[in-house]
Amino acid sequence: MKNKLLNKNTYLLIILSTFAFRIFAQTNNTSWLIRYNDPKDRVFVENKGQFQLTDLEQSSIKYGFDGGQSKIYFTDKGVIFRFAKQVNTEKTGEKEEANLNEEENDNKKIETKTDIVYATWEGANSDVQIVAEDETTDYYSYSIKENGGLKNINHIAAFKKIIYKNLYPNIDVEYVFHPDKGIEYSIILHPGADITQVKLHYSDGHQVQLMNGDVHISTDFGDIIDHAPTTFYSDNHSNIVNSRFLQTGNTISFGLENYDNTKEVTIDPWTITPSFPNSGKVWNTQVDGAGNVYLYGGDTPLALKKYSAAGLLQWTYNTPWDSANYWMGTMITDLAGNSYVTSGSNGEISKVNTSGGLVWHNNPNGLFGPLYEYWHLAFNCDQTQLVVGGMTTPSALSASSYRGAIMNINLTNGAILGTIIVGGYSSGFPPTIHEVRSICPSSNGNFYFMTLDSIGSITPALTLNYKSINNYNFAYGSPSYTVKGNLGLNAMKTNGNFIYTQSGKTVDKRNISNGSIVASAPIPGGTSSSFLGTNSPGNSGLDIDSCGNVYVGSSNQVVKYDANLIQLATAATPSAVYDVAVNNNGEVIACGNGFAASIAMSNCHPIKPICLICVPPTIIVTATPSSICAGSSSTLLASGATSYSWSTGATTNPINVNP
């Protein structure tokens, strides 16, 4: 099975974020800008069971630095470096039928190669006290696999410093993050301390060498390098003490020359490890009714982050999914702030509440079938129904049975309530499954979707209204910016009257009744690559505000159009945009290749999630807003109000329009 977004006068700030998002307040049209992988954002996360090696080591791990493929665990005996790099390996044996992409991923598969290095403080105090300081204001939540299901651990604290108190008599060790990269550890010798007691042993099986004063510890992915220490009296950093590493086999100790041991001395080496950075890509953004911002990004693991409207990080929910075993999924957030996140291939779905806690998780896949893939989520017009566009097959053993599909999801537990097949299978070269990659609701109650080659509409009951060619002919392995395999596209929205879609290079206004294009405009800076007649967008993102303005993501900006696709404004972004969302504070949230930003674009409010109902044509309606129901002479009313006045002849009566 395949594991499959400033006006022209804007000042562009370039302030860059290993393994967390960083916020910067701005005085111009960018209210805040965040980036992945800023060393200043690294933290030590308290272990509440989410960091695991062996059962014994799990209990001894007190704190951890979670760098995705690179983790550093701190135990009462020392430090554990764990590297788990994803590598491409040539396939052996029979080709998996499920992996139909004829690009690179078809010839290679991703596997995870692991190496673990133990650094143990020899002869250290078995009752050492490990203290954490400088707690961050945000917290962490993890869902980990346990006994065939998921266990959630929430409200986990994080810190900027940890201290081993009295590791040896009169000796403490403090760990902080180096300003640029790596970790600093300071050995603090209180008066009377004996430096010869301090010995750090690296696990056998890893070569340890002294090279130009630095210690190199071999791993399967390159060396851990412990840089030669700078040593000084703690009360006067300019008063340097000559120091060096000493080596005996795999054990490292410290040599100090002519120092006064009646004074406090600090030995200050710093360590760098082989780098396996997270991609830093932010796939999706959503906002809730209060203007909070939600970002779904990364790849090892996929993580959901919640920010306040002012750009302050609230919490991070780490999913159990990574790009070694899954292709990227998607997310959606309701007005109350509940989020639903998926893996793409091996479609699984989880509900995460407003505090970052797992509410439920559902995996509908069988060992041999049925199988599902979840690429894009959509609520209905009043957020009482959730559907997911993707793929399904009754059997993993028959590639030709794979079909593009839309599944109705039970909001109580994530189970599939019903499925409609809307995309076929093409056996040409390359073979293609016409999966549903984008889907959106309309106030008329219907859903609108795009497969690789088609656009269409279904009813809330999952019956087909229509389906026609979308003129985009997306490649099976699209978009081009995904880390691995396929990915959903944030490429369509409706305002109840028209559908708007984007292909990477163009934005199109479409007839809502049949999907035909009625107006088009180029996307400045928009990109799409071609392969064997198919297209793979290099950017995505599309949203509409309550005034009908359209916001589209490009490779280097967000573009604002009016309802007729007349360009109104642009807003530069640091890199390619993958998603945009209109917020309720006159700003647009844009996210993409390594960044997210809140941008003032003089936008109106988001479109409210309300359903419109049809009143019989015999009734005369005096309420607003109203419009004519498609395909009839009935009048369309918003269901959000309590009542409207209507009349038949001389009689005027209220009518309750709440569904």
Side-chain angles (χ1 to χ4, degrees), residues 566-631:
I566 304 300
Q567 185 176 314
L568 301 176
T570 62
T573 58
S575 54
V577 179
Y578 305 154
D579 198 9
V580 295
V582 174
N583 210 344
N584 57 20
N585 56 358
E587 298 187 349
V588 172
I589 308 300
C591 69
N593 188 9
F595 83 99
S598 183
I599 307 167
M601 296 195 75
S602 301
N603 50 279
C604 299
H605 290 296
I607 295 177
K608 293 181 179 180
I610 56 175
C611 296
L612 302 176
I613 63 171
C614 290
V615 178
T618 56
I619 296 176
I620 302 171
V621 178
T622 61
T624 57
S626 67
S627 61
I628 301 301
C629 291

Side-chain angles (χ1 to χ4, degrees), residues 96-170:
E96 298 173 80
E97 282 192 296
N99 191 358
L100 300 172
N101 187 6
E102 292 295 322
E103 300 177 12
E104 179 181 9
N105 288 317
D106 190 51
N107 300 315
K108 299 180 179 180
K109 67 177 180 179
I110 302 296
E111 290 186 352
T112 301
K113 185 177 182 180
T114 303
D115 197 8
I116 299 175
V117 178
Y118 294 83
T120 305
W121 295 105
E122 287 188 344
N125 179 8
S126 59
D127 294 324
V128 63
Q129 183 183 11
I130 305 177
V131 177
E133 295 184 350
D134 299 337
E135 184 174 357
T136 64
T137 57
D138 59 292
Y139 58 87
Y140 288 77
S141 174
Y142 282 80
S143 281
I144 58 177
K145 295 179 181 179
E146 184 175 277
N147 299 323
L150 286 187
K151 175 184 177 182
N152 182 238
I153 309 167
N154 198 3
H155 298 281
I156 306 173
F159 304 84
K160 290 292 187 178
K161 178 191 288 187
I162 52 177
I163 307 171
Y164 284 67
K165 296 279 191 178
N166 205 32
L167 181 64
Y168 297 95
N170 295 323

